[in-house]
Amino acid sequence: MKKYFLLIIALFLAFYSPDLSEANNLQENMQLSINPETISINLGFKGGEAEITGSIPPGSEVYLKLQSAPGTVPLNQKDKKGPLWITVEHVQVEGVPKICQVLSSNSIAGLSPDLSETMEIDNQFYFIKRKGRVTKKEEGKKEVLPPDSSSQYLDGLINIYKKRNLYAIRENALEVTGNSFHVNIAIPPEIPPGDTIITAYAVKEGKIIGKAQCNLFVKNTGIAGWARNQAITNGPMYGIIAVIIALIGGLGIGTAFNWLDKIFSRNKHKGAASDVH
Amino acid sequence: MQIDIFLPIARMPFNIFSVLGMGGAVGLLSGLFGVGGGFLLTPLLMMAGVPPAVAVASDTNQIVAASASGTLAHSRNSNVDFKLGFIILAGGLIGGSYGTELVKILRGLGSFEFVVKIAYVVMLFAVGVFMFFESIHTLRKKPGEESKPVPRKFMQSLPLQLYFEVSGVQCSLLALFGLGFLIGILAAIMGVGGGFIMLPVMIYIIGMPTLKAVGTSIFTVVFTAINVTIAQAILNGTVDLVLAMLLLIGSSIGAQFGVKIGKQLRGEQLRIVFSLVVLAVMVKILLDLLVAPTSTIVPGGGH
């Protein structure tokens, strides 16, 4: 029994060790880093800039992808009913990241389909559409739309994100000097909190010869962080706080105006009285 | 001047002075006409890039401030009939709950949005045109020629009559509660606060003087806005406190000026301006419905 067990382990290692060592080799071939590694979002945040640098095997091209964690987004579809354009369907798009940017030192269109699929990089965001899921609620039940129906929503969302510069393809944007590369990227203000994963591939003669990954961590701090955290985790209390602030603000400004009115009318009366004298 | 502030829920930087300006303009209308102003502010915020769900929820939160500020200013001039307002409000809150259920049923029947949009446009058109011509007619009329409209006579023939000292009107408690109930249902179906419907009802059906109607209407808006803000915070988590705080500073100041301007105008003049605002909103909604959108897929979560 013990012999069989050892044999199975030996066979397993024989089959899988080349893959593991290949993966290790790919990682050893390449290095990747981002500066800064952490971005703090507070009330003064307007977006920012980060520098991505790395090393690659000589003579290879670099393909780089920035992708935030997938999220859920509500979308509406408008259609013409009679003479009017109205919303005809409400859906939720799941599994689509809010940020997706692809940068390269060479043409992306020139990648072979196999390579494109392995790296999940193309210039039409097909790799995003493949992972996206569109659902709608019918009579309280969640229904997943088939690919032919969901395609228009995924295309629509990608277009919205492209217009807001959250999705971008930047071919030939990476500067390669010898065996190192670097690029500056704009961090949009809408970047979601959490990890944005940066993956880089080194490609030579149609093969991946290097792969590396690093993370950009985005965190909310100060009042912005508190408000977001409360809104997500403690809705009722957050709502009550919002109402109390609004009431205090509204009544406070109203009282201040009343006080100013009294001062001005008193001054007016004094002025009028002195005019009479 | 470019001083931006990051909005934590909308997740975007926004120019502080733009927010204050938008809030100020909407607060002015609120103080002047006793409406919440969400019909104007929500599309403005969306045009500026705020996600629809955040625009609706934060707008409602600032309406709490603008209407509280407006109520305080109107109450100083004895223009808020609290007794009458509470009765209509009670009917409105119950009507709103039934209206929400009715929306679910109507949605199931299909073409709900089409019917609602058409009904909304027709209602705004009817209210706007009626108020405009009625006010012009009243302005031209000689003093002492006033005639009592049929709905007002009917209201005064119903049981449980009460006299409202502040407004100087006598009306049935049942009728007021019923009107509040209907306004609540309509507001829930149309997805609006109800100020637009409330003011004409108070003036033409209950027979309140225009300024008292404005003051009492804005008082009821405080409670409906509180209700919706808490519901939005619990269900969607989309109230942007930073955006709402900036808006409310602008709107509370604007509401004070609105009340001051309103005091300078005659009731008929105020109604003419209000009817023009109603007609402008109607035209804007109609254009939104008629003009083909640049994309048929749009961000969701709004009204």
Side-chain angles (χ1 to χ4, degrees):
Chain A
M1 186 69 188
K2 200 177 173 183
K3 268 184 192 173
Y4 285 117
F5 184 67
L6 288 171
L7 187 66
I8 290 167
I9 290 176
L11 284 170
F12 178 82
L13 287 173
F15 275 111
Y16 288 96
S17 59
D19 281 356
L20 289 173
S21 62
E22 197 179 324
N24 286 337
N25 284 341
L26 286 179
Q27 279 176 2
E28 279 168 17
N29 282 345
M30 203 169 174
Q31 280 180 340
L32 182 68
S33 65
I34 185 162
N35 184 32
E37 287 178 338
T38 302
I39 287 188
S40 298
I41 296 184
N42 50 32
L43 290 182
F45 184 65
K46 293 181 199 173
E49 203 174 69
E51 186 187 26
I52 298 172
T53 51
S55 64
I56 45 168
S60 56
E61 298 293 348
V62 194
Y63 294 87
L64 197 137
K65 184 171 66 175
L66 275 94
Q67 218 171 297
S68 62
T72 303
V73 183
L75 285 182
N76 291 342
Q77 192 201 357
K78 285 186 176 278
D79 201 4
K80 206 171 185 187
K81 293 268 176 184
L84 308 181
W85 286 91
I86 57 165
T87 302
V88 289
E89 200 154 58
H90 303 272
V91 297
Q92 299 276 332
V93 179
E94 299 168 6
V96 172
K98 198 173 179 183
I99 300 275
C100 183
Q101 304 203 358
V102 176
L103 301 98
S104 67
S105 62
N106 201 0
S107 157
I108 293 169
L111 288 171
S112 70
D114 281 352
L115 207 55
S116 175
E117 202 172 322
T118 311
M119 295 194 295
E120 292 190 325
I121 285 178
D122 59 66
N123 54 9
Q124 298 294 324
F125 297 104
Y126 291 128
F127 63 100
I128 295 287
K129 282 202 267 181
R130 276 199 293 273
K131 288 185 177 172
R133 208 170 74 121
V134 182
T135 62
K136 73 169 178 178
K137 270 189 180 170
E138 285 269 322
E139 290 164 6
K141 283 181 187 169
K142 199 167 158 183
E143 181 199 335
V144 180
L145 297 188
D148 53 334
S149 307
S150 60
S151 178
Q152 58 169 333
Y153 294 106
L154 292 164
D155 285 335
L157 183 60
I158 289 169
N159 281 335
I160 291 168
Y161 283 162
K162 274 187 192 170
K163 279 181 193 163
R164 280 151 61 176
N165 296 324
L166 300 172
Y167 275 39
I169 304 282
R170 289 171 59 193
E171 286 179 313
N172 303 310
L174 292 166
E175 277 179 43
V176 180
T177 320
N179 62 346
S180 67
F181 70 91
H182 99 107
V183 67
N184 287 329
I185 54 156
I187 308 291
E190 289 173 73
I191 191 165
D195 279 319
T196 289
I197 297 168
I198 300 131
T199 313
Y201 295 92
V203 174
K204 194 174 180 182
E205 292 162 4
K207 279 185 181 172
I208 300 170
I209 57 164
K211 181 184 173 184
Q213 236 175 26
C214 67
N215 287 6
L216 171 68
F217 183 62
V218 180
K219 62 176 182 184
N220 294 305
T221 56
I223 294 173
W226 173 84
R228 190 163 175 85
N229 185 37
Q230 288 294 308
I232 294 166
T233 60
N234 197 0
M237 185 49 71
Y238 181 73
I240 290 168
I241 291 171
V243 165
I244 291 171
I245 290 174
L247 284 173
I248 292 172
L251 294 174
I253 290 171
T255 310
F257 261 77
N258 187 27
W259 181 68
L260 286 173
D261 269 351
K262 277 182 186 164
I263 290 174
F264 282 123
S265 59
R266 207 180 296 154
N267 287 345
K268 228 184 235 178
H269 286 305
K270 272 183 193 169
S274 62
D275 284 348
V276 170
H277 289 299
Chain B
M1 205 166 157
Q2 189 70 28
I3 301 178
D4 289 347
I5 190 161
F6 185 77
L7 308 177
I9 308 296
R11 301 208 69 75
M12 58 184 285
F14 210 114
N15 184 273
I16 288 180
F17 297 104
S18 304
V19 189
L20 289 173
M22 283 183 197
V26 170
L28 192 80
L29 289 182
S30 190
L32 203 50
F33 305 121
V35 294
F39 64 92
L40 183 69
L41 191 54
T42 303
L44 278 178
L45 290 172
M46 279 161 59
M47 274 195 282
V50 177
V54 180
V56 171
S58 312
D59 176 21
T60 314
N61 190 21
Q62 74 78 30
I63 290 173
V64 174
S67 50
S69 173
T71 301
L72 193 67
H74 276 291
S75 67
R76 281 200 298 266
N77 303 321
S78 306
N79 281 335
V80 184
D81 193 329
F82 290 101
K83 190 163 83 174
L84 192 146
F86 270 123
I87 297 169
I88 289 198
L89 186 68
L93 291 176
I94 295 169
S97 310
Y98 277 97
T100 313
E101 290 302 313
L102 194 62
V103 167
K104 280 184 197 164
I105 297 166
L106 289 172
R107 271 196 205 284
L109 297 174
S111 299
F112 169 71
E113 189 155 343
F114 179 77
V115 175
V116 165
K117 294 269 181 182
I118 292 283
Y120 195 30
V121 167
V122 170
M123 197 189 75
L124 289 178
F125 179 75
V127 169
V129 169
F130 173 75
M131 281 186 92
F132 182 78
F133 285 107
E134 178 278 330
S135 307
I136 297 277
H137 178 69
T138 314
L139 270 177
R140 285 180 180 167
K141 220 165 36 179
K142 286 173 191 162
E145 263 184 51
E146 204 189 343
S147 61
K148 205 179 267 186
V150 177
R152 215 180 295 171
K153 283 181 196 162
F154 173 71
M155 301 268 293
Q156 288 175 353
S157 67
L158 291 170
L160 292 173
Q161 290 287 321
L162 286 175
Y163 182 70
F164 297 92
E165 297 83 12
V166 178
S167 305
V169 292
Q170 185 161 331
C171 195
S172 158
L173 185 131
L174 282 179
L176 288 176
F177 186 85
L179 279 174
F181 186 82
L182 283 176
I183 290 167
I185 287 183
L186 273 176
I189 293 176
M190 308 280 186
V192 292
F196 259 119
I197 316 162
M198 188 83 78
L199 193 65
V201 163
M202 283 180 170
I203 295 171
Y204 296 110
I205 299 181
I206 302 173
M208 291 172 77
T210 304
L211 271 177
K212 309 271 180 197
V214 170
T216 310
S217 167
I218 202 168
F219 162 68
T220 63
V221 168
V222 177
F223 295 89
T224 45
I226 288 176
N227 191 21
V228 178
T229 300
I230 294 177
Q232 291 276 11
I234 294 171
L235 297 174
N236 304 323
T238 45
V239 177
D240 196 312
L241 205 53
V242 175
L243 175 62
M245 276 169 73
L246 287 171
L247 286 171
L248 74 85
I249 292 170
S251 67
S252 303
I253 295 171
Q256 294 291 324
F257 282 106
V259 174
K260 281 183 195 303
I261 296 168
K263 269 163 56 183
Q264 311 297 317
L265 297 171
R266 282 177 59 187
E268 297 79 20
Q269 292 168 328
L270 203 60
R271 296 206 293 271
I272 289 175
V273 183
F274 180 73
S275 65
L276 292 174
V277 173
V278 170
L279 289 172
V281 172
M282 189 274 297
V283 169
K284 194 250 165 213
I285 293 172
L286 199 59
L287 284 176
D288 282 350
L289 291 169
L290 290 172
V291 176
T294 47
S295 168
T296 54
I297 306 294
V298 291
H303 275 309

